[in-house]
Amino acid sequence: MKNINLNHKTILVTGAAGFIGSNLVKRLLIETEGTQVIGIDNMNDYYDVKLKEARLKALETTSSANTSQQKSTFLFVKGDISDRTIINQLFHQYQPAIVVNLAAQAGVRYSITNPDAYIQSNIIGFYNILEACRHSYDNGETGVEHLVYASSSSVYGSNKNVPYSTDDKVDNPVSLYAATKKSNELMAHAYSKLYNIPSTGLRFFTVYGPAGRPDMAYFGFTDKLVRGANIQIFNYGNCKRDFTYVDDIVEGIVRVMQGAPAKRVGEDGLPIPPYRVYNIGNNQPENLLHFVEILQEELIRAHVLPADYDFESHKQLVPMQPGDVPVTYADTSALERDFGYRPSTPLRMGLRAFAEWYADFYQKK
């Protein structure tokens, strides 16, 4: 493994206005010195653009609050990774040493009704990133030292082996979203083999936290309960999810960014792909009904909902939705072995942070 110091590097973060992307950029701005962070995001309206704008504003505040002479800087570019011209221009102008590709069309159910968005962003967009990484080595240039990209626990499909290990076969996706993420892993492996690009894929498990994605269950449940609408709990409440707090995800990304797979040559004289895939999950799946119980307690504690709210009358137990899986459960032993890290934020602590943010963002204003 090649160790990379993030200080005084140029780092490209795609999906920088997104949930995970904005938290990663904030962490880099606070903890690195002299680093130039370039962020790109298309600011699409898959969910409320105001939330994305608020994340960017928070990044501006973080950047301006740092008065150090060697402070890290953030430059935001509005653009789409599926636009090859923009990507090529960014790589040519800024020559990033590290690329973190978090831009993607997310969501299992949305992929059933809007497949085009997934092919455009997750396949074509990722291809453009890979091509730009490939050509970063042209003319003897140092090029990209490490490509880190988001995969998903969805690639495991209806895998019966639990916890999910990166050694498990993942050849049977149950949604187009999952298929595109598995495709990303295959494409990255091919480019690592052909062009010796150090790349690491990260399979995220149900990420949650303040300023998260409104299409995620905990956020959608909160919105509906506030409006007095009913929430639907799929598979009659018999789902289990490995909920992972966003700060734990970012910690994992930052550690992985600093440890690129080493370039090696095989007996045939050709590169051994400098390629790795890791799970990042809480390694402790929670029953969905228990999750909803904690959420409602924290929403009352944060005064998002009144203490006498009648939750039972607003809960509906319904069948499983197409593309969903009954359980997600991460085996994080490889991450712990290679980076000494294992996510551990308790669910109640994470949901408390979300509830307090929700009260501040939507209600106190």
Side-chain angles (χ1 to χ4, degrees):
M1 186 180 295
K2 176 188 175 184
N3 293 322
I4 299 173
N5 188 327
L6 301 182
N7 293 329
H8 306 287
K9 296 283 188 182
T10 297
I11 301 173
L12 173 64
V13 178
T14 74
F19 179 32
I20 300 173
S22 60
N23 278 281
L24 174 61
V25 172
K26 181 180 180 180
R27 172 79 178 268
L28 293 172
L29 290 175
I30 292 172
E31 296 193 358
T32 62
E33 290 185 353
T35 299
Q36 183 179 35
V37 183
I38 310 298
I40 182 171
D41 199 295
N42 64 7
M43 303 294 287
N44 68 26
D45 60 358
Y46 170 62
Y47 59 82
D48 189 0
V49 176
K50 290 180 181 178
L51 187 53
K52 300 178 182 181
E53 291 171 344
R55 295 180 187 136
L56 288 177
K57 188 174 182 180
L59 292 178
E60 291 175 9
T61 302
T62 300
S63 182
S64 60
N66 188 342
T67 57
S68 167
Q69 287 187 333
Q70 294 194 44
K71 75 172 186 176
S72 295
T73 59
F74 176 56
L75 173 69
F76 178 71
V77 176
K78 184 178 179 181
D80 198 309
I81 63 169
S82 66
D83 185 333
R84 191 164 180 180
T85 300
I86 289 177
I87 294 302
N88 288 345
Q89 286 175 346
L90 283 179
F91 273 74
H92 176 74
Q93 184 171 356
Y94 298 106
Q95 299 178 349
I98 300 167
V99 177
V100 185
N101 186 66
L102 300 173
Q105 180 56 59
V108 168
R109 294 179 200 123
Y110 191 69
S111 70
I112 296 171
T113 55
N114 295 274
D116 288 1
Y118 292 78
I119 300 302
Q120 190 73 17
S121 181
N122 302 8
I123 301 297
I124 296 174
F126 190 59
Y127 164 73
N128 289 342
I129 295 294
L130 289 171
E131 274 290 286
C133 289
R134 167 196 174 186
H135 289 293
S136 70
Y137 304 119
D138 288 355
N139 303 315
E141 295 290 338
T142 302
V144 171
E145 298 176 44
H146 197 188
L147 166 64
V148 180
Y149 62 93
S151 185
S152 168
S153 63
S154 295
V155 301
Y156 289 105
S158 52
N159 180 19
K160 298 294 190 294
N161 298 326
V162 290
Y164 294 164
S165 167
T166 51
D167 293 328
D168 294 340
K169 283 193 173 183
V170 288
D171 297 332
N172 300 291
V174 295
S175 69
L176 178 64
Y177 170 64
T180 62
K181 286 301 184 179
K182 174 59 178 174
S183 297
N184 287 173
E185 296 179 4
L186 295 172
M187 292 161 71
H189 186 276
Y191 270 72
S192 288
K193 172 65 176 175
L194 290 170
Y195 309 112
N196 218 14
I197 303 170
S199 68
T200 303
L202 300 176
R203 294 173 179 171
F204 299 145
F205 281 69
T206 316
V207 189
Y208 75 103
R213 280 184 13 229
D215 64 320
M216 296 296 285
Y218 69 100
F219 206 135
F221 286 172
T222 301
D223 283 342
K224 288 177 180 176
L225 291 170
V226 167
R227 297 198 313 267
N230 290 343
I231 62 174
Q232 294 185 326
I233 302 175
F234 296 109
N235 201 28
Y236 304 104
N238 295 316
C239 285
K240 284 191 172 183
R241 291 288 180 268
D242 209 348
F243 296 100
T244 316
Y245 190 58
V246 65
D247 287 0
D248 288 348
I249 291 286
V250 170
E251 176 67 26
I253 295 172
V254 171
R255 291 190 184 217
V256 168
M257 288 168 67
Q258 298 174 80
K263 294 185 178 183
R264 296 178 296 151
V265 176
E267 294 179 358
D268 57 2
L270 297 175
I272 297 173
Y275 172 87
R276 294 285 186 276
V277 174
Y278 295 96
N279 290 332
I280 303 187
N282 208 44
N283 193 233
Q284 189 176 339
E286 300 276 359
N287 182 278
L288 197 51
L289 284 174
H290 182 235
F291 160 83
V292 170
E293 182 180 331
I294 294 175
L295 176 64
Q296 69 187 42
E297 290 170 359
E298 293 306 324
L299 291 176
I300 289 173
R301 181 184 178 277
H303 306 293
V304 173
L305 295 174
D308 61 352
Y309 195 94
D310 183 3
F311 284 94
E312 291 306 314
S313 67
H314 290 91
K315 282 193 266 188
Q316 288 182 305
L317 302 182
V318 298
M320 183 76 82
Q321 289 288 288
D324 268 355
V325 294
V327 62
T328 63
Y329 185 1
D331 176 351
T332 57
S333 57
L335 185 72
E336 194 169 358
R337 178 195 68 217
D338 293 349
F339 296 97
Y341 179 64
R342 179 178 179 176
S344 59
T345 300
L347 181 60
R348 183 174 295 278
M349 184 183 297
L351 287 177
R352 178 167 297 179
F354 164 74
E356 290 173 351
W357 168 82
Y358 191 96
D360 183 62
F361 189 81
Y362 286 106
Q363 297 184 321
K364 290 182 181 177
K365 290 182 181 179

